C-alpha cells in the first residue's frame, strides 16, 4: 500500500470527525479485592464529551461449533488517538455499553473503532 502525506491523513481524520454526530464518555475500570478472593470493578471516567458516532450492527457468529447464529451489537467510531480498551465501558446518552473489541492499528490511522454490546 502506498504512503500518504501527513496533510492527506489529517484531512481524512478531519473528514471522518465531521460525520461523528454525538458525544460519549469512556469509562475505565479500577479493580479492588472484595475480600473473598474476587475483584470488584469501580468505573472512572477516562474521557468525557468525546466526539463519536454509534452505529447498530447485525452479524452472524458460530456458537459452540453449531450453525451460524444472528447477533446484534454496535460499532463506535471515535477520533484517532482516543484511548479505549476491551475492558472499558462507553456511555452514550443514557445508554451504557461494554467494549468487546477494538480495531487493531490500520495502515491509515484515520479513526478508532470499537465494537460494543449494550448493558441492560
Amino acid at each position: 500500500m502506498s504512503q500518504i502525506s501527513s496533510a492527506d491523513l489529517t484531512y481524512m481524520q478531519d473528514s471522518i470527525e465531521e460525520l461523528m454526530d454525538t458525544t460519549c464518555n469512556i469509562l475505565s475500570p479500577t479493580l479492588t479485592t472484595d475480600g473473598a478472593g474476587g475483584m470488584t470493578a469501580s468505573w472512572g471516567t477516562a474521557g468525557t464529551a468525546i466526539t463519536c458516532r454509534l452505529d447498530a450492527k447485525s452479524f452472524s457468529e458460530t456458537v459452540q461449533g453449531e450453525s451460524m447464529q444472528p447477533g446484534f451489537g454496535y460499532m463506535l467510531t471515535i477520533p484517532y488517538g482516543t484511548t479505549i480498551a476491551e475492558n472499558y465501558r462507553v456511555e452514550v446518552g443514557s445508554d451504557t455499553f461494554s467494549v468487546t473489541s477494538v480495531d487493531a492499528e490500520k495502515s491509515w490511522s484515520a479513526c478508532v473503532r470499537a465494537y460494543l454490546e449494550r448493558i441492560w
Side-chain angles (χ1 to χ4, degrees):
M1 187 172 292
S2 64
Q3 293 283 19
I4 62 172
S5 72
S6 177
D8 286 343
L9 183 57
T10 298
Y11 176 78
M12 289 170 58
Q13 291 169 340
D14 292 344
S15 296
I16 291 170
E17 227 174 298
E18 287 179 18
L19 299 173
M20 298 180 194
D21 57 356
T22 193
T23 61
C24 66
N25 298 324
I26 296 178
L27 310 176
S28 62
T30 299
L31 299 176
T32 55
T33 183
D34 64 6
M39 302 296 276
T40 301
S42 58
W43 297 94
T45 306
T48 59
I50 297 166
T51 303
C52 70
R53 180 175 182 88
L54 184 66
D55 294 299
K57 295 289 179 189
S58 60
F59 57 89
S60 296
E61 64 182 346
T62 303
V63 179
Q64 298 177 352
E66 300 289 325
S67 61
M68 298 295 280
Q69 299 294 317
F72 186 78
Y74 298 86
M75 179 181 290
L76 179 74
T77 305
I78 51 180
Y80 178 74
T82 305
T83 300
I84 192 166
E86 287 184 20
N87 59 341
Y88 282 28
R89 288 185 177 177
V90 176
E91 295 174 331
V92 179
S94 61
D95 297 319
T96 303
F97 303 85
S98 61
V99 178
T100 59
S101 66
V102 178
D103 266 2
E105 284 292 319
K106 300 173 266 317
S107 33
W108 295 346
S109 301
C111 64
V112 175
R113 287 202 159 159
Y115 298 92
L116 312 177
E117 288 182 353
R118 188 173 184 182
I119 299 172
W120 296 96

